[in-house]
Amino acid sequence: MEAKAAGRFTLGRQSSLAPEKEEGSDGDAGELEMPEVIEPTIRLMYLANEGDLEGIEELLESGTNVNFTDIDGRTALHVAACQGHADVVDLLLRSGAEVDPKDRWGSTPLVDAIYYKNHDVIKLLEKHGAKPLMAPMRVQNARDVPEYEIDPKEVDFTNSIEITKGTYRVALWQGTRVAVKQPEDFFSDEDKVRAFMDELALLQKVRHPNVVQFLGAVTQSNPMMIVTEYLPKGDLRAYLRRKGALKPALAVKLALDIARGMNYLHEHTPEAIIHRDLEPSNILRDDTGHLKVADFGVSKVLKVAKTVKEDRPVTCQDSCRYVAPEVYLNEEYDTKVDVFSFSLILQEMIEGLPPFSTKQENEVPKAYAANERPPFTAPLKLYSYGIKELIEECWHGNPTKRPTFRQIIDQLSSIRKQLAQRRQWKVKPLVCFHNLEAMFKKDYSSLSWRNGSSRSTN
């Protein structure tokens, strides 16, 4: 097989399992410009995209490898299957093209043809022995299909938009807008398949007002999906970027929502649940402005052991700004890693900036490991009534000295009560003034003055 091309070749239609689609309204990306000098293998991909049968025949007769793959692992058969060129598919298969090659997203020509509803191509591929990808959780007996199973035909991605980390999309399911999670590079990554199954198993167990609601999943066909409620107000990260620093009363109110959801997970029976990725982007806002904990892609369940450990060191490709030092150091950890993350979120709500905002992403976990903590730069009065002390307790270097979320809820409730009392005292003088004014009007409104004497109107 020839070496893979050095550059990406833009095709009219992407792989059906690729994370993003960038097509026009008619499903095509537009005309492709042909460079003057082009390698035969790249030319093969181009001609398969265009449906140029004679050009492909000429290339194959000259010895061009029919199974050439580009940097996405796609072959000319993938391209022709996407575009619906049945005559090209037939020629490629008769010329020795592998019928079921997988691209880097795990998609085959048959999967692509099914996705784009190219029925003639589907029949050709199946005639040559192409097999549909089997979902990892597919069952043999219909009676074993999970109760939560959703028919993928009921999930409408028309006018769908991308949300949250590129793996969630908004869709319509039975007339209701929902959030749909489709992991990227799913079939080419066994770890992601296992993580999907673990997250699905966890979501079935949790029911709480401050935890995102699981609605169902697609597990018996491809692509597999997890469907949850859609919260149109977005995540806490976007909210904080828009609002900046919050007033202490609002910060405490939101912190209570997070703490209640996390306390439910940690006290879940018979198995406690560690979120392990608690950060603003994984906390969603509902229509009332309350918060819900979401995205359990890396969560852990404490079954028998009291602690867990990552299979491999955390690489911090996405974000380690909220990750506890024991996770970064690849040590055993427990529920207290979520308490550490919570402290950083609470401080961010008061400060209006992410923790260690001036440091590069990869520098932050090193700072935590060296027992550094984000500075308190906001006026100290904003940290009154014990907010600062609570944050410091929650990010303590010794996990055993961090409070539980039940204790955090008690402390936050006390702080919230004190903040409410302070607001009440500020309002009282004004209330007293209005009361005095009302009394004056009541006592003297019945009096009229005439010629220096008074007469009651009663």
Side-chain angles (χ1 to χ4, degrees):
M1 182 175 289
E2 300 177 29
K4 293 185 179 181
R8 183 181 299 273
F9 188 74
T10 305
L11 301 170
R13 280 178 170 169
Q14 295 189 29
S15 167
S16 60
L17 296 184
E20 296 181 12
K21 301 287 185 287
E22 298 178 353
E23 301 172 79
S25 57
D26 60 354
D28 293 322
E31 295 184 5
L32 302 175
E33 293 184 3
M34 190 72 159
E36 293 181 4
V37 180
I38 187 171
E39 295 180 15
T41 48
I42 298 295
R43 183 179 176 84
L44 175 64
M45 303 289 282
Y46 173 83
L47 296 178
N49 185 77
E50 296 297 297
D52 188 336
L53 201 63
E54 293 182 5
I56 294 172
E57 285 181 316
E58 182 181 339
L59 279 176
L60 295 178
E61 288 174 0
S62 69
T64 300
N65 183 7
V66 69
N67 289 311
F68 162 80
T69 59
D70 65 9
I71 64 172
D72 287 331
R74 306 191 75 196
T75 65
L77 190 61
H78 279 99
V79 176
C82 282
Q83 296 298 88
H85 299 316
D87 52 353
V88 173
V89 169
D90 182 57
L91 172 60
L92 293 171
L93 290 170
R94 286 188 288 104
S95 301
E98 295 178 17
V99 70
D100 276 328
K102 291 183 180 180
D103 62 22
R104 76 181 180 94
W105 298 284
S107 185
T108 65
L110 179 57
V111 172
D112 290 346
I114 292 173
Y115 181 85
Y116 288 110
K117 298 180 175 62
N118 297 326
H119 301 292
D120 292 341
V121 173
I122 294 171
K123 292 178 182 178
L124 266 173
L125 291 168
E126 289 179 337
K127 180 181 177 181
H128 283 78
K131 303 294 183 184
L133 290 176
M134 296 294 290
M137 297 179 65
R138 188 176 178 85
V139 297
Q140 297 299 320
N141 195 319
R143 290 177 297 180
D144 296 328
V145 174
E147 293 183 1
Y148 57 70
E149 187 69 19
I150 289 175
D151 184 345
K153 295 178 182 177
E154 296 177 353
V155 184
D156 182 6
F157 286 96
T158 306
N159 301 322
S160 174
I161 58 173
E162 185 180 271
I163 52 172
T164 311
K165 291 187 175 181
T167 56
Y168 282 92
R169 301 193 71 84
V170 178
L172 278 178
W173 175 54
Q174 297 185 343
T176 300
R177 286 208 295 176
V178 295
V180 180
K181 183 175 186 177
Q182 288 181 265
E184 300 176 7
D185 305 340
F186 191 72
F187 288 95
S188 59
D189 192 328
E190 292 183 3
D191 289 340
K192 289 187 177 181
V193 173
R194 186 168 58 253
F196 178 94
M197 296 170 71
D198 289 345
E199 181 175 9
L200 183 55
L202 187 151
L203 282 170
Q204 297 173 60
K205 302 175 182 179
V206 296
R207 293 288 187 277
H208 190 271
N210 295 115
V211 178
V212 70
Q213 182 181 355
F214 169 70
L215 300 177
V218 176
T219 63
Q220 302 302 297
S221 61
N222 297 313
M224 293 171 68
M225 312 173 198
I226 291 177
V227 181
T228 61
E229 64 177 321
Y230 171 59
L231 303 177
K233 288 200 171 184
D235 59 44
L236 182 60
R237 172 179 289 175
Y239 180 73
L240 293 177
R241 284 177 177 173
R242 187 169 67 253
K243 293 289 187 179
L246 305 181
K247 292 182 179 180
L250 177 56
V252 170
K253 172 183 174 292
L254 297 179
L256 270 168
D257 284 342
I258 302 171
R260 287 168 180 147
M262 292 307 305
N263 184 64
Y264 166 78
L265 296 176
H266 286 187
E267 294 191 358
H268 185 271
T269 55
E271 301 163 344
I273 298 168
I274 304 173
H275 191 284
R276 223 291 273 141
D277 195 21
L278 188 64
E279 60 173 75
S281 65
N282 290 333
I283 300 169
L284 306 181
R285 300 176 65 237
D286 67 12
D287 289 332
T288 66
H290 284 283
L291 301 183
K292 296 193 177 192
V293 179
D295 201 337
F296 298 88
V298 296
S299 297
K300 309 293 181 184
V301 176
L302 292 180
K303 296 182 179 179
V304 178
K306 299 297 182 181
T307 61
V308 293
K309 185 178 180 181
E310 295 297 318
D311 296 332
R312 59 178 65 91
V314 176
T315 58
C316 297
Q317 291 179 348
D318 295 325
S319 173
C320 276
R321 204 171 286 276
Y322 303 86
V323 172
E326 53 266 35
V327 176
Y328 172 71
L329 295 172
N330 202 31
E331 299 172 348
E332 291 189 352
Y333 62 86
D334 58 13
T335 55
K336 296 300 181 69
V337 297
D338 292 334
V339 174
F340 183 93
S341 302
F342 169 82
S343 68
L344 299 170
I345 297 171
L346 177 54
Q347 191 204 35
E348 180 175 349
M349 288 192 286
I350 301 291
E351 293 285 340
L353 291 171
F356 282 132
S357 59
T358 59
K359 290 182 181 290
Q360 294 295 322
E361 192 72 45
N362 60 349
E363 295 176 347
V364 176
K366 297 176 184 177
Y368 295 151
N371 211 30
E372 293 182 44
R373 298 294 183 262
F376 294 94
T377 59
L380 287 179
K381 65 179 182 179
L382 300 179
Y383 288 105
S384 57
Y385 300 106
I387 297 178
K388 180 174 182 288
E389 289 75 12
L390 175 60
I391 292 172
E392 291 174 329
E393 288 177 34
C394 291
W395 69 27
H396 198 286
N398 184 347
T400 62
K401 294 188 177 181
R402 299 171 195 161
T404 64
F405 273 107
R406 180 165 293 280
Q407 293 170 326
I408 291 171
I409 291 172
D410 290 341
Q411 292 186 57
L412 287 173
S413 298
S414 175
I415 293 170
R416 189 179 187 185
K417 185 180 297 184
Q418 293 178 68
L419 288 169
Q421 289 175 347
R422 184 179 70 175
R423 291 197 306 273
Q424 186 178 7
W425 279 109
K426 283 186 175 181
V427 172
K428 274 188 176 179
L430 183 61
V431 172
C432 290
F433 173 78
H434 285 306
N435 288 343
L436 183 62
E437 184 182 25
M439 289 173 61
F440 180 85
K441 288 181 177 179
K442 180 179 180 181
D443 290 343
Y444 297 98
S445 59
S446 60
L447 300 179
S448 62
W449 299 85
R450 180 179 300 170
N451 298 326
S453 62
S454 61
R455 183 180 64 180
S456 172
T457 58
N458 292 332

